[in-house]
C-alpha cells in the first residue's frame, strides 16, 4: 500500500504540489488585519484537510469562529463529524479521569497530571525575571506533584476539587500544624492521616512498601519543605495555582473538564473535528485555560499514536495562535511530522506573537524556534516592519547590479556613472504591504507569498512564490 503522505492537497500553479507530508510539517500563516489570511490561505487549507478526511482540533479566539467551522464542515460534507465543547454544549472531557485511567499510563500518572496542570498555569503566567523562573517553576512543580500524589493515594477517583482543597488547606506555620482546630478542618492533614492509618493496618508487601514510601515523601513536603518556605515564596506559588484553580472550580470549566467524558483527543484520530467554543476574546483567561488544557493533552495523545502507512492525519488549527502558546509547543512541533499531526497557526505579526511568548529577546527566540519547525509559511499583506523583515530575510538575498552616477564641480562640471553588485533582498520588505487583500475592490483576489522548505517550486527552482487565491472560488 502506498504511503498517503505523498497525496497532493494543493496543486501549486508553479508545480510540485503541497502534499499531506507538507501538511504534517506544519503551516504558519501571517497577515495583518483584513489581509485575507483566514478567508484566503486559511479557507483553502481547511477545505483540503476536511475533504481528505482529516480529524482535528480547533481552538477559538473570536465568537464567529464556531459558525465559520460549521460552514466549512457543512460545505465539505463533515457536519456529522463536528463536535463542540462549550458552555451550552453536551460534550465533556474529564481530564483528570482521562489521565488517571488511560491504558498506556506511561512512566507516572502523578507527573503526567502535574505537568498538565503546570503547563496550563504557566501558559497564563507572567514569567517575571528570568533568573527567578527556574525557582518558581520547581516550587510549583513540587506542590502539584505532592498534591496530586496524595489524591491518588487516598481517592478512588481523582477530582480537581480534591487537589484544590489539599493545596488550600496545606499548613503555613508551625503553630497551625500544632493546632487541633486546623487538624480537624484541613483536608491535606486528614488525607495524610487517613493514608497513614490504612498503611498501618495493611499486611506487609512490596505494594505496601511502595505506598509507604510515597506517603513519606508527601509528608516530608507538606510538613517540611512547604512549611518552611518563606511566606513570600509560598504566597507567590499559591497565587500562581489559585489564579488558575479558581477558574477551574467554576463553570464553564468545572462542568466541561471535571465531571464526565463524552469526547477524547483520540476521537480526532477517528475523524472527529473538535471545536473548543470558549473564545478567548469573550471568556478571556477562562477560555484560554480550557483551550490550552485540551490542546496540550491532545498534543501528547498524538505523540502516543501508532502510525501506519494509511493512518489518518489530524490537524491542530489555532487562529490568533499567540493567545494559546505554552512551554511545550516547540517540543511537540519538532516531532509532529512523525505522528501526522498537522499544525496550522494563524497570527498577525511577529511582535504580537513574541509578546505573548515571553516578550523581549526570549519572545523572539521562541517565535523563531517554533516558526522554524513549521515547514510552509504564508505571508499575507502586512504593515508590520519586523514581520516583513523576517519574511524578506527568510526568502533571502541575491546579488544584483546597481547603477550609480555622480557629479563633481570644479573649473568645469563632470559627470560619472558606473555599476556594482550589491546583496539585496529578493523581495523587499516594503512589497509585503502592497499585496492584494481580497474583497470586491480586488475582485476577491488575495495575494500571498508562500515559502516552503525542502522541494522548491518546479518551474522557478525557488522555495518561494507569489500566489493568488480567489476567495469566491475556494
Amino acid at each position: 500500500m502506498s504511503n498517503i503522505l505523498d497525496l497532493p492537497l494543493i496543486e501549486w500553479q508553479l508545480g510540485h504540489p503541497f502534499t499531506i507530508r507538507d501538511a504534517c510539517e506544519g503551516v504558519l500563516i501571517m497577515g495583518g488585519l483584513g489581509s485575507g489570511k483566514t478567508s484566503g490561505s486559511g479557507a483553502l487549507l481547511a477545505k483540503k484537510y476536511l475533504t481528505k478526511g482529516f480529524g482535528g482540533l480547533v481552538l477559538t479566539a473570536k465568537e464567529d469562529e464556531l459558525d465559520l467551522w460549521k460552514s466549512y464542515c457543512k460545505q465539505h460534507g463533515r457536519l456529522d463529524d463536528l463536535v463542540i465543547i462549550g458552555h451550552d454544549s453536551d460534550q465533556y472531557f474529564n481530564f483528570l479521569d482521562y489521565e488517571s485511567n488511560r491504558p498506556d499510563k506511561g512512566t507516572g500518572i502523578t507527573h503526567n497530571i502535574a505537568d498538565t496542570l503546570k503547563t496550563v498555569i504557566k501558559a497564563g503566567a507572567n514569567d517575571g525575571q528570568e533568573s527567578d523562573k527556574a525557582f518558581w517553576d520547581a516550587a510549583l512543580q513540587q506542590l502539584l506533584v505532592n498534591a496530586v500524589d496524595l489524591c491518588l493515594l487516598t481517592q478512588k477517583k481523582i477530582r480537581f476539587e480534591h487537589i484544590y482543597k489539599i493545596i488550600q488547606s496545606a499548613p503555613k506555620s508551625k503553630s497551625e500544624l500544632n493546632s487541633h482546630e486546623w487538624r480537624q478542618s484541613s483536608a491535606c492533614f486528614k488525607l495524610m492521616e487517613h493514608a497513614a492509618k490504612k498503611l498501618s493496618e495493611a499486611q506487609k508487601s512490596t505494594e505496601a512498601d511502595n505506598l509507604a514510601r510515597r506517603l513519606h515523601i508527601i509528608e516530608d513536603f507538606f510538613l517540611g519543605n512547604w512549611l518552611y518556605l518563606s511566606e513570600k515564596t509560598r504566597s507567590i506559588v499559591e497565587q500562581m495555582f489559585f489564579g488558575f484553580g479558581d477558574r477551574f472550580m467554576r463553570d464553564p470549566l468545572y462542568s466541561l473538564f471535571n465531571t464526565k467524558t463524552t469526547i477524547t483527543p483520540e476521537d480526532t484520530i477517528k475523524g472527529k473535528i473538535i471545536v473548543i467554543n470558549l473564545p478567548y476574546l469573550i471568556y478571556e483567561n477562562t477560555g484560554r485555560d480550557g483551550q490550552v488544557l485540551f490542546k496540550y493533552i491532545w498534543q501528547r495523545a498524538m505523540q502516543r499514536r501508532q502510525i501506519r502507512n494509511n493512518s489518518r492525519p489530524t490537524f491542530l488549527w489555532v487562529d490568533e495562535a499567540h493567545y494559546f502558546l505554552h512551554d511545550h509547543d516547540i517540543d511537540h512541533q519538532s516531532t509532529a511530522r512523525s505522528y501526522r499531526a498537522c499544525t496550522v497557526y494563524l497570527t498577525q505579526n511577529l511582535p504580537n506573537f513574541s509578546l505573548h511568548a515571553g516578550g523581549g529577546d526570549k519572545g523572539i527566540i521562541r517565535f523563531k524556534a517554533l516558526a522554524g519547525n513549521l515547514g510552509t509559511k504564508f505571508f499575507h499583506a502586512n504593515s508590520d516592519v519586523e514581520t516583513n523583515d523576517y519574511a524578506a530575510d527568510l526568502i533571502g538575498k541575491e546579488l544584483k547590479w546597481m547603477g550609480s552616477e555622480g557629479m563633481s564641480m570644479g573649473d568645469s562640471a563632470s559627470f560619472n556613472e558606473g555599476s556594482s553588485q550589491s546583496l539585496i533582498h529578493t523581495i523587499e520588505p516594503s512589497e509585503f504591504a502592497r499585496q492584494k487583500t481580497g474583497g470586491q475592490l480586488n475582485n476577491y483576489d488575495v495575494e500571498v507569498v508562500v515559502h516552503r522548505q525542502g522541494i522548491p517550486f518546479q518551474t522557478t527552482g525557488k522555495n518561494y512564490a507569489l500566489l493568488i487565491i480567489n476567495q469566491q472560488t475556494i
Side-chain angles (χ1 to χ4, degrees), residues 364-385:
I364 293 173
I365 290 170
R366 285 185 67 186
F367 166 79
K368 290 183 176 179
L370 183 56
N373 286 325
L374 297 167
T376 302
K377 299 173 180 66
F378 293 77
F379 295 105
H380 288 257
N382 215 317
S383 60
D384 177 68
V385 174

Side-chain angles (χ1 to χ4, degrees), residues 5 66-67 69 93 124 160 189 231 239 264 338 344 383:
L5 291 177
L66 175 59
D67 289 337
W69 277 89
F93 175 60
F160 183 74
F189 183 82
E231 184 177 349
Q239 185 179 19
T264 69
S338 301
V344 180
S383 60

Side-chain angles (χ1 to χ4, degrees), residues 51-197:
T51 55
K52 290 297 184 183
F54 289 22
L57 171 64
V58 180
L59 307 190
T60 58
K62 295 170 286 189
E63 193 172 13
D64 61 357
E65 288 181 62
L66 175 59
D67 289 337
L68 180 65
W69 277 89
K70 282 182 177 178
S71 69
Y72 286 160
C73 290
K74 182 178 180 180
Q75 181 183 357
H76 304 301
R78 299 292 302 278
L79 207 52
D80 289 343
D81 291 325
L82 182 64
V83 177
I84 301 163
I85 298 178
H87 73 283
D88 57 353
S89 73
D90 58 355
Q91 299 290 341
Y92 306 91
F93 175 60
N94 186 327
F95 77 100
L96 289 172
D97 191 48
Y98 169 87
E99 289 286 354
S100 300
N101 295 293
R102 68 175 202 240
D104 64 310
K105 294 181 180 179
T107 57
I109 300 171
T110 301
H111 283 82
N112 287 342
I113 294 172
D115 286 344
T116 299
L117 294 172
K118 180 185 169 188
T119 296
V120 181
I121 292 169
K122 292 296 295 175
N126 187 345
D127 281 342
Q129 295 296 319
E130 193 68 21
S131 58
D132 295 332
K133 181 178 182 295
F135 175 76
W136 302 126
D137 282 1
L140 178 62
Q141 178 77 9
Q142 273 192 305
L143 176 63
L144 292 172
V145 164
N146 283 281
V148 169
D149 207 26
L150 182 55
C151 282
L152 292 171
L153 203 61
T154 57
Q155 308 295 313
K156 290 182 179 179
K157 188 172 184 179
I158 183 172
R159 299 178 70 91
F160 183 74
E161 58 260 40
H162 298 153
I163 300 172
Y164 187 92
K165 288 177 181 177
I166 287 170
I167 294 174
Q168 187 182 49
S169 64
K172 297 177 176 60
S173 66
K174 285 185 178 180
S175 60
E176 192 171 59
L177 182 60
N178 294 324
S179 164
H180 176 73
E181 290 78 10
W182 175 83
R183 292 186 176 210
Q184 289 294 106
S185 63
S186 170
C188 179
F189 183 82
K190 287 195 288 186
L191 287 174
M192 288 189 290
E193 190 176 47
H194 174 73
K197 183 179 179 181

